[in-house]
């Protein structure tokens, strides 16, 4: 035994002041994880899980010493796997990959939901962006109603929901074009209020995107109407023609309820934005524009995202006013031939 190996280890101690501030008096079990398997870690956490009074913290940095932009890209990919509860992180992605993978494996089995709270790196605070270290905060929640469905059952249900929505969107376009298409299956959830965006592409080229920001009709009616509008009424594009139908790719996004930002100024708003997660709506004196979370695939910086949103609303890049109202939402995204992806709420 050589205690010198642990002289500089501080991953436990660094959490204690925060836990003391948040929890007050508590007892804790510290665990330093070395050469253990994912299943070993999951088994120990299962034994210690306890009830609602038990908090489990898995500690890790993300990428190390990459340039700022490279770190942002790598860390976003890492967080995408975390939010999908995939216990496959490498130690290049996260130095604490072993304990994090154990937690992810157990969260997956328990049907939990992962929510990204924040994603930053040292370049956002220390200033030097040539070599940065990535950090994130992710919370894990029990399923709604505290009843955990088996993950396989949840995947099947979500997959079936996506297949049904996509079928109704496509059938709506086909009917308007006079193209033969099988009648889509009906489902009870289509009668519930819902807000959707429908995006159409032909050979990876955008052909239309129209949607609703708030529920104003049944989900099925909304997705069918927005599919027709995306095909024929998006003023940015010519109407979709029948000869394009075979190459048409359909994407449906179901929006969560919007929640307003409480921000003192533009910098405060930018600090609260969650890259890869938030869809944003901006309103100012009758002008309104929105960008779906999918836009983060092409815009990496919060300021660039907000600038693009201002441009869409017809505002100058440097414009800001206390009268600006900004709200955010998340989406469940369904893509033909792909699996469901969800941006955390």
């Amino acid at each position: 035994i050589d205690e010198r190996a642990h002289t500089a280890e501080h991953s436990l101690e660094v959490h204690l002041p925060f836990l003391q501030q948040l929890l007050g008096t508590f007892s804790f079990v510290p665990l330093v994880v070395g050469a253990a398997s994912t299943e070993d870690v999951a088994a120990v956490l299962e034994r210690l899980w306890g009830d609602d009074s038990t908090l489990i913290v898995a500690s890790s940095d993300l990428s190390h010493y990459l340039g700022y932009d490279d770190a942002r890209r790598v860390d976003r990919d890492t967080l995408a796997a975390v939010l999908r509860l995939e216990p496959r992180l490498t130690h290049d992605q996260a130095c604490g990959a072993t304990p994090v993978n154990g937690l992810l494996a157990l969260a997956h089995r328990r049907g939990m939901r992962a929510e990204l709270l924040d994603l930053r790196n040292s370049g956002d605070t220390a200033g030097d962006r040539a070599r940065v270290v990535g950090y994130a905060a992710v919370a894990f929640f029990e399923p709604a109603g505290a009843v955990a469905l088996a993950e396989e059952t949840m995947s099947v249900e979500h997959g079936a929901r996506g297949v049904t929505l996509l079928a109704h969107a496509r059938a709506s376009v086909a009917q308007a074009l006079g193209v033969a298409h099988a009648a889509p299956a009906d489902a009870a959830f289509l009668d519930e209020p819902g807000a959707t965006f429908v995006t159409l592409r032909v050979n990876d080229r955008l052909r239309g995107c129209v949607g609703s920001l708030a529920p104003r009709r049944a989900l099925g009616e909304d997705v069918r109407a927005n599919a027709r509008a995306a095909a024929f009424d998006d003023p940015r594009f010519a109407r979709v023609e029948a000869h394009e139908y075979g190459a048409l790719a359909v994407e449906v996004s179901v929006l969560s309820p919007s929640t307003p930002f409480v921000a003192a100024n533009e910098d405060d708003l930018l600090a609260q934005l969650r890259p890869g997660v938030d869809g944003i709506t901006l309103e100012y004196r009758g002008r309104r524009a929105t960008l779906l979370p999918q836009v983060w695939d092409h815009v990496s910086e919060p300021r660039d995202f907000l600038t693009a949103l201002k441009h869409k609303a017809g505002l100058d890049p440097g414009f800001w006013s206390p009268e600006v109202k900004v709200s955010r939402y998340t989406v469940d995204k369904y893509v033909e031939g792909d699996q469901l992806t969800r941006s955390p709420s």
Side-chain angles (χ1 to χ4, degrees):
I1 297 175
D2 189 343
E3 296 294 343
R4 290 177 297 176
H6 302 286
T7 300
E9 174 57 54
H10 62 273
S11 60
L12 294 170
E13 290 85 347
V14 75
H15 289 286
L16 289 178
F18 298 99
L19 294 173
Q20 289 170 325
Q21 180 68 26
L22 181 67
L23 303 178
T25 301
F26 63 97
S27 58
F28 70 101
V29 178
L31 300 171
V32 177
V33 181
S37 70
T38 295
E39 285 306 314
D40 288 339
V41 176
V44 172
L45 294 181
E46 184 74 69
R47 291 282 300 274
L48 297 173
W49 196 268
D51 56 21
D52 289 344
S53 65
T54 302
L55 171 68
I56 293 175
V57 178
S59 172
S60 178
D61 299 342
L62 297 179
S63 63
H64 280 67
Y65 308 134
L66 299 176
Y68 183 85
D69 291 336
D70 288 338
R72 295 269 299 181
R73 174 180 52 79
V74 170
D75 291 342
R76 282 199 303 272
D77 290 343
T78 300
L79 264 294
V82 171
L83 296 175
R84 292 193 299 265
L85 304 181
E86 295 178 355
R88 302 172 184 171
L89 301 187
T90 69
H91 291 95
D92 289 331
Q93 293 174 293
C95 54
T98 303
V100 173
N101 282 337
L103 177 59
L104 291 174
L106 187 55
H108 184 278
R109 288 203 291 266
R110 298 175 74 98
M112 301 187 78
R113 172 175 60 85
E115 177 177 327
L116 177 62
L117 304 180
D118 205 353
L119 173 61
R120 304 291 176 103
N121 64 51
S122 56
D124 294 314
T125 55
D128 181 8
R129 296 192 170 189
R131 297 172 76 244
V132 304
V133 177
Y135 303 95
V138 177
F140 298 84
F141 298 94
E142 299 285 356
V147 177
L149 297 173
E151 183 66 23
E152 180 179 357
T153 302
M154 294 176 68
S155 297
V156 170
E157 289 180 353
H158 286 307
R161 181 183 178 94
V163 168
T164 301
L165 286 167
L166 290 166
H168 277 261
R170 177 171 283 279
S172 182
V173 176
Q175 182 180 21
L177 288 171
V179 175
H181 189 278
D186 203 0
F189 75 86
L190 294 173
D191 295 327
E192 301 170 0
T196 67
F197 264 74
V198 177
T199 303
L200 304 178
R201 292 183 175 86
V202 173
N203 299 325
D204 292 328
R205 181 169 52 91
L206 185 64
R207 287 294 280 113
C209 181
V210 173
S212 310
L213 288 171
R216 50 192 174 91
R217 52 194 171 193
L219 182 62
E221 181 184 354
D222 193 70
V223 75
R224 290 188 293 269
N226 287 335
R228 291 192 299 272
F232 309 115
D233 298 325
D234 189 329
R236 300 170 295 173
F237 303 97
R239 292 167 59 90
V240 171
E241 302 290 343
H243 68 85
E244 298 178 284
Y245 179 78
L248 200 65
V250 182
E251 175 184 308
V252 173
S253 296
V254 180
L255 278 62
S256 73
S258 293
T259 57
F261 279 94
V262 179
N265 49 47
E266 184 173 6
D267 287 338
D268 188 14
L269 171 65
L270 291 170
Q272 296 183 52
L273 281 181
R274 299 176 296 178
V277 176
D278 289 329
I280 306 297
T281 302
L282 181 149
E283 298 178 76
Y284 176 72
R285 294 188 177 181
R287 303 187 185 195
R288 185 171 73 168
T290 192
L291 292 178
L292 294 171
Q294 290 90 312
V295 175
W296 289 108
D297 294 340
H298 311 286
V299 178
S300 59
E301 295 299 323
R303 188 172 295 279
D304 293 339
F305 190 94
L306 184 57
T307 297
L309 183 60
K310 290 179 185 178
H311 176 75
K312 191 174 181 182
L315 301 171
D316 292 333
F319 173 81
W320 186 256
S321 166
E323 297 179 46
V324 169
K325 296 180 181 179
V326 184
S327 57
R328 65 177 159 202
Y329 55 88
T330 59
V331 303
D332 284 356
K333 183 180 72 173
Y334 305 90
V335 183
E336 285 183 329
D338 200 357
Q339 296 178 342
L340 161 71
T341 58
R342 166 171 290 175
S343 71
S345 56

